[in-house]
Amino acid sequence: MRCPNSMSAPELPRDGAARHPRDGTSRAAKGGLDRRALDHLLGFMTSLADARLRKAFSAHMNGLKLRPVEFSILALLSTNQRVTQKKLCLALDTPAPNLVVILTRLQERGLLRRVRSNEDRREQHVELTEEGRRLADEAHALSLTMEAEALSVLTAGEQLLLFELLRKIAGGR
Amino acid sequence: MRCPNSMSAPELPRDGAARHPRDGTSRAAKGGLDRRALDHLLGFMTSLADARLRKAFSAHMNGLKLRPVEFSILALLSTNQRVTQKKLCLALDTPAPNLVVILTRLQERGLLRRVRSNEDRREQHVELTEEGRRLADEAHALSLTMEAEALSVLTAGEQLLLFELLRKIAGGR
DNA sequence: TATTGTTATACTCTATAACTATA
DNA sequence: TATAGTTATAGAGTATAACAATA
């Protein structure tokens, strides 16, 4: 009733002892508080990890004045063609009204343009400008190293595994 | 210069073909957009996974009128004693001013109380009320199953592995 | 009627500066 | 001087309803 993890639990890969100390002392985690009541929740772990990675992002990207969503949009535009706002909304899981203001902001910076489609006059095709592509490339180069410190606690194999597992969760139908 | 993953890459555990299709068709992921330019970024995956899990949380917890932080606070209070606001800030990675308003909201709902410490008159000890403990127990029971659907795409072993890997990332250092 | 994009708006979350009371 | 907690506030993120243009 109070044990972690609902599903049947095979062997822990490691840290089993640290998670379930036998002695009376509660595990002094971050801030001296026993966090075991929370760390059976994937959502808690992802939100902590996400916060950490957002800090890494802004530390490395503040020079380019790019927020995470803006970076994502530039990256998607640089590797896709005929991108409509609808598609961006789906790919980024962002409500349409929010995307509009983000795109307008990037457009006013001269990084992209909106071109009304001829096949379907309701659609806008979003495209990078020359300057937008330059910034996208620069940002991509930075992105290759910005998570290095956070990832340094994992081996290369663990990193790949983590990506695959998260992809399954995130993509999950 | 444009290939994913900065570090040297050993064998992919699975899905290698799906990630790097040989044919010309770009992988039609969510929304029909090729997202490979992004999915080398751990931060992107965690934010997607986090969004998905937040939805699962609110779907299951809306009856209790608890937000994620509020749930976390109740959980920490139910398994820790002599909890100061400072400790909560560290454990939750939340700025002190934000915690104040969250605690006040919970206090006004009669779920917890603040008791001025006698050893150090600056500190407040935050404690659950009877009603707070009841709600914390109820929420904990719900939390054991609320992520089941999201986690169902993983085997039990993969779930444990994912927790361990995320813990390492979140824990810093 | 349904869909794409838009406007307006409201609510939440996050972050910072400045204050108080204690140490 | 430094720390725990507080107040006030600004900014970013997120969500919904209502509308115009087009299909």
Side-chain angles (χ1 to χ4, degrees), chain B residues 77-109:
Chain B
L77 292 179
S78 70
T79 52
N80 287 275
Q81 285 170 337
R82 307 181 55 77
V83 177
T84 65
Q85 299 186 197
K86 179 69 179 177
K87 285 183 181 176
L88 281 175
C89 287
L90 289 173
L92 300 170
D93 195 25
T94 301
N98 300 344
L99 185 71
V100 169
V101 316
I102 298 168
L103 288 181
T104 302
R105 196 164 56 218
L106 293 173
Q107 192 171 21
E108 283 166 353
R109 284 173 67 182

Side-chain angles (χ1 to χ4, degrees), chain A residues 16-172:
Chain A
R19 288 183 67 202
H20 302 289
R22 304 291 172 77
D23 55 14
T25 68
S26 59
R27 188 178 71 152
K30 204 74 160 272
L33 284 186
D34 180 356
R35 245 169 27 181
R36 268 174 300 165
L38 283 172
D39 63 8
H40 72 287
L41 282 176
L42 187 57
F44 183 66
M45 300 310 293
T46 55
S47 93
L48 283 185
D50 197 48
R52 195 180 195 298
L53 291 164
R54 275 177 187 279
K55 284 171 189 169
F57 181 94
S58 61
H60 287 78
M61 290 289 183
N62 66 348
L64 302 188
K65 296 277 169 284
L66 278 182
R67 302 169 217 199
V69 221
E70 294 171 336
F71 170 86
S72 300
I73 290 170
L74 295 190
L76 288 174
L77 292 178
S78 71
T79 52
N80 287 275
Q81 285 170 339
R82 307 179 57 76
V83 177
T84 65
Q85 300 187 196
K86 178 69 178 175
K87 284 183 182 176
L88 281 176
C89 287
L90 287 172
L92 299 170
D93 195 24
T94 301
N98 300 344
L99 184 72
V100 169
V101 315
I102 298 168
L103 288 182
T104 303
R105 197 165 53 218
L106 292 173
Q107 192 170 21
E108 283 165 353
R109 285 173 67 180
L111 300 174
L112 55 83
R113 59 179 153 262
R114 290 188 249 212
V115 184
R116 187 65 66 180
S117 164
N118 282 325
E119 291 96 352
D120 186 334
R121 302 282 304 160
R122 293 172 301 183
E123 291 180 343
Q124 305 255 45
H125 287 285
V126 188
E127 302 169 354
L128 287 179
T129 61
E130 265 301 304
E131 195 186 339
R133 184 164 296 278
R134 262 200 311 278
L135 189 60
D137 288 347
E138 199 176 343
H140 179 264
L142 281 178
S143 79
L144 295 178
T145 55
M146 72 181 176
E147 294 180 336
E149 188 183 343
L151 287 171
S152 68
V153 295
L154 303 183
T155 68
E158 285 175 326
Q159 290 175 30
L160 284 171
L161 202 44
L162 178 54
F163 277 96
E164 291 303 318
L165 295 174
L166 278 176
R167 192 195 321 281
K168 288 189 185 180
I169 295 288

Side-chain angles (χ1 to χ4, degrees), chain B residues 9-10 23 52 71 81 84-85 94 108 111 114 125 127 131 142 148 163 165 173:
Chain B
D23 54 16
R52 194 181 195 298
F71 170 86
Q81 285 170 337
T84 65
Q85 299 186 197
T94 301
E108 283 166 353
L111 300 175
R114 290 188 248 212
H125 288 287
E127 303 168 354
E131 194 185 341
L142 281 177
F163 276 96
L165 295 175
R173 254 144 318 290

